[in-house]
């Protein structure tokens, strides 16, 4: 839809929420970011009235994207390759090509990589787990680094970033000694697209967020998969209305996609050391919890590793992240994956990472940013893993000495 992208400092009281309801501004982003800014998309027909309304309310705004529809048409496409083309890590790729690349990695690097199917979506697409480690076996035996992406369909850069990291870990193009050490010490487990149906549908509706299930007694399709986890399900930051973008579903783990991940995590949770859940956008490295101001018992440890990752990202190309708990850093959000992984499954380190930017492009990341965001994000994770391995005595190679 044509529109503008505006932002304002969210204030206490009902003003912002009343305007959000009146102008139906929930299609672009959630509204309850404390002490910060809210990005909203406004239909062209409502632009003048909306502008007057926010001025009357004393809310400061600025236009960030003048015409969202035009931006989508001109600049944002998924690449579909021909049969003999190599996967393009510098582009956004359709689900079928991601699938092909994962299978190629499985076949070409069978000594370190193993591709498993963990479930099937509502529209019968496969859900994949790519495991990468030295001397890979039928089941994980080492401490697991679990990373997922694409739970929200429109957040394409989350998928391109996890694919960038997969390429670094599997092919190690820079011949990084630490990657060799990581493969000795850890098992990487990648879930590259947690919402394949929604991701595929973004070629029709670029800003689609949910999965594509039919909802009972509603013409509105889809459940927000990151409000469907069985930990404090149905609390703040979720909706019981199927037409809302944060619709939590009829019950916790009602969806095939979340159930598939639940089954895998519960099978191996005693081995999972670190969990990272990629989103976009906002430049935030966040710890649990999202359901309230409660914090995990090891919050100090979690924040320590957050700081290490954020510092390395800034060193890479100057990108600045904030870090802290989901609830206070971005907004209240219940029944999210990071809360479930830490709160229900007792995984010691769990993070939700909102990748760049801060709103200049929003969900419509230019392809030129793909390798840059990939590189800096990997630098952050790499620094975290080095310190984590040193702290836990996990680095198992004589070539690496940490000073």
């Amino acid at each position: 839809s044509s529109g503008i992208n505006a932002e304002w400092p969210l204030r206490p009281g009902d003003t912002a929420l009343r305007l959000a309801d009146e102008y139906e501004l929930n299609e672009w982003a959630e509204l309850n970011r404390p002490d910060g800014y809210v990005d909203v998309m406004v239909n062209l027909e409502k632009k003048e009235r909306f502008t007057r309304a926010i001025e009357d309310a004393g809310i400061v705004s600025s236009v960030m994207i003048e015409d969202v529809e035009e931006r989508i048409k001109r600049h944002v496409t998924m690449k579909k390759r021909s049969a003999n083309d190599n996967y393009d890590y510098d582009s956004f790729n359709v689900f079928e090509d991601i699938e092909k690349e994962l299978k190629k990695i499985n076949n070409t690097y069978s000594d370190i990589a193993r591709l498993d199917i963990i479930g099937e979506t509502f529209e019968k697409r496969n859900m994949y787990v790519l495991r990468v480690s030295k001397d890979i076996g039928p089941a994980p035996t080492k401490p697991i680094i679990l990373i997922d992406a694409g739970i929200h369909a429109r957040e394409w850069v989350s998928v391109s970033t996890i694919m960038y990291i997969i390429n670094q870990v599997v092919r190690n193009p820079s011949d990084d000694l630490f990657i060799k050490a990581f493969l000795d010490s850890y098992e990487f487990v990648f879930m590259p697209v947690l919402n394949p149906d929604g991701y595929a549908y973004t070629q029709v509706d670029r800003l689609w967020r949910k999965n594509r299930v039919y909802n009972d007694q509603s013409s509105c399709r889809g459940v927000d998969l990151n409000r469907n986890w069985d930990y404090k399900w149905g609390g703040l930051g979720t909706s019981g209305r199927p037409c809302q973008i944060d619709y939590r579903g009829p019950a916790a783990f009602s969806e095939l996609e979340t159930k598939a991940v639940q089954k895998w995590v519960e099978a191996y949770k005693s081995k999972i050391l670190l969990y990272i859940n990629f989103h976009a956008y906002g430049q935030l490295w966040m710890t649990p919890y999202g359901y309230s101001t409660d914090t995990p018992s090891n919050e100090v440890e979690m924040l320590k590793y957050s700081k290490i990752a954020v510092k390395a990202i800034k060193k890479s190309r100057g990108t600045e992240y904030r870090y802290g708990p989901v609830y206070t850093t971005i907004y209240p959000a219940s029944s999210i994956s990071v809360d479930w992984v830490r709160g229900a499954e007792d995984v010691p380190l769990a993070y939700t990472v909102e990748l760049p930017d801060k709103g200049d492009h929003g969900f419509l990341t230019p392809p030129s940013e793909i390798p840059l965001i990939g590189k800096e994000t990997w630098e952050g994770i790499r620094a975290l893993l080095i310190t984590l391995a040193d702290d836990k005595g996990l680095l198992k190679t004589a070539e690496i000495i940490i000073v």
Side-chain angles (χ1 to χ4, degrees):
S1 77
S2 292
I4 65 168
N5 184 259
E7 63 171 32
W8 68 73
L10 188 63
R11 300 173 176 195
D14 296 329
T15 310
L17 291 176
R18 180 179 59 78
L19 286 170
D21 285 340
E22 183 179 342
Y23 290 93
E24 299 174 342
L25 303 182
N26 68 349
E27 188 180 354
W28 185 276
E30 288 88 347
L31 285 156
N32 45 350
R33 297 173 187 246
D35 305 320
Y37 289 85
V38 179
D39 297 345
V40 294
M41 187 170 73
V42 188
N43 288 338
L44 200 58
E45 295 75 21
K46 297 177 181 176
K47 180 180 173 182
E48 283 190 28
R49 257 188 337 122
F50 172 73
T51 303
R52 282 199 304 272
I54 57 175
E55 285 174 355
D56 291 346
I59 295 169
V60 178
S61 71
S62 62
V63 176
M64 300 181 77
I65 301 175
E66 186 66 51
D67 189 332
V68 173
E69 186 175 33
E70 183 268 345
R71 177 75 64 89
I72 290 170
K73 284 177 179 175
R74 283 185 52 198
H75 299 294
V76 187
T77 56
M78 269 190 201
K79 185 171 183 176
K80 186 167 177 58
R81 63 191 173 123
S82 60
N84 299 321
D85 283 352
N86 288 325
Y87 186 86
D88 186 353
Y89 282 91
D90 293 343
S91 296
F92 296 116
N93 293 271
V94 297
F95 179 74
E96 292 75 15
D97 287 346
I98 293 169
E99 198 171 33
K100 285 179 199 168
E101 179 66 1
L102 295 174
K103 290 175 180 177
K104 180 180 177 181
I105 288 169
N106 179 62
N107 294 332
T108 309
Y109 301 93
S110 56
D111 56 328
I112 61 166
R114 184 179 176 119
L115 186 65
D116 300 318
I117 296 171
I118 61 165
E120 197 175 68
T121 67
F122 175 71
E123 294 180 340
K124 307 297 182 188
R125 290 179 177 86
N126 286 331
M127 294 191 64
Y128 292 100
V129 165
L130 181 70
R131 296 168 38 231
V132 185
S133 186
K134 188 179 178 185
D135 303 321
I136 195 81
T141 57
K142 299 173 188 171
I144 291 169
I145 309 302
L146 174 60
I147 307 177
D148 69 41
I151 196 167
H152 286 150
R154 62 193 178 184
E155 297 167 11
W156 290 4
V157 74
S158 72
V159 177
S160 66
T161 298
I162 200 171
M163 292 302 291
Y164 178 97
I165 292 169
I166 287 170
N167 192 44
Q168 296 302 306
V169 170
V170 170
R171 295 189 173 94
N172 195 3
S174 58
D175 199 28
D176 183 345
L177 285 177
F178 276 111
I179 290 177
K180 295 175 183 177
F182 293 159
L183 294 180
D184 282 341
S185 310
Y186 299 119
E187 178 150 326
F188 288 91
V189 177
F190 298 103
M191 299 182 178
V193 190
L194 283 193
N195 182 5
D197 295 349
Y199 184 75
Y201 187 67
T202 56
Q203 291 184 81
V204 177
D205 179 351
R206 177 62 186 86
L207 296 178
W208 187 259
R209 166 179 162 116
K210 301 184 284 184
N211 71 359
R212 293 293 296 158
V213 72
Y214 287 103
N215 292 311
D216 289 345
Q217 299 177 330
S218 174
S219 60
C220 295
R221 292 181 68 172
V223 167
D224 182 344
L225 295 176
N226 206 34
R227 300 293 186 273
N228 191 239
W229 302 82
D230 195 9
Y231 191 75
K232 312 293 183 182
W233 181 78
L236 284 173
T238 73
S239 174
R241 294 182 290 171
C243 296
Q244 296 296 105
I245 61 167
D246 55 358
Y247 175 51
R248 59 183 174 251
F253 289 133
S254 59
E255 304 311 295
L256 293 169
E257 297 89 344
T258 50
K259 274 193 284 203
V261 177
Q262 175 201 17
K263 186 178 178 183
W264 196 94
V265 169
E266 290 191 338
Y268 301 111
K269 63 184 178 182
S270 64
K271 289 187 166 53
I272 303 173
L273 180 60
L274 168 67
Y275 170 65
I276 297 175
N277 170 229
F278 281 144
H279 288 264
Y281 55 97
Q283 294 169 206
L284 306 168
W285 194 285
M286 296 180 291
T287 56
Y289 290 107
Y291 76 91
S292 80
T293 54
D294 290 356
T295 54
S297 57
N298 66 329
E299 187 190 33
V300 171
E301 180 190 30
M302 295 178 84
L303 292 174
K304 168 191 162 180
Y305 292 116
S306 300
K307 185 177 181 180
I308 288 164
V310 164
K311 186 177 177 183
I313 290 170
K314 185 175 181 181
K315 186 179 177 184
S316 180
R317 67 157 180 162
T319 304
E320 295 199 10
Y321 273 66
R322 285 193 298 129
Y323 64 92
V326 171
Y327 189 95
T328 52
T329 305
I330 186 168
Y331 43 65
S334 304
S335 33
I336 58 178
S337 67
V338 73
D339 281 14
W340 177 76
V341 166
R342 180 66 188 88
E345 303 303 293
D346 293 321
V347 171
L349 300 171
Y351 300 100
T352 289
V353 176
E354 294 277 357
L355 297 165
D357 55 18
K358 288 188 170 183
D360 290 342
H361 302 286
F363 302 113
L364 311 180
T365 310
S368 59
E369 284 288 301
I370 291 171
L372 303 175
I373 292 171
K375 181 178 185 297
E376 69 185 6
T377 307
W378 171 239
E379 290 293 334
I381 292 172
R382 179 181 178 275
L384 190 163
L385 291 177
I386 290 169
T387 307
L388 180 62
D390 192 36
D391 289 348
K392 307 289 183 187
L394 292 173
L395 280 185
K396 294 180 181 176
T397 178
E399 293 179 85
I400 302 290
I401 300 172
I402 299 177
V403 293

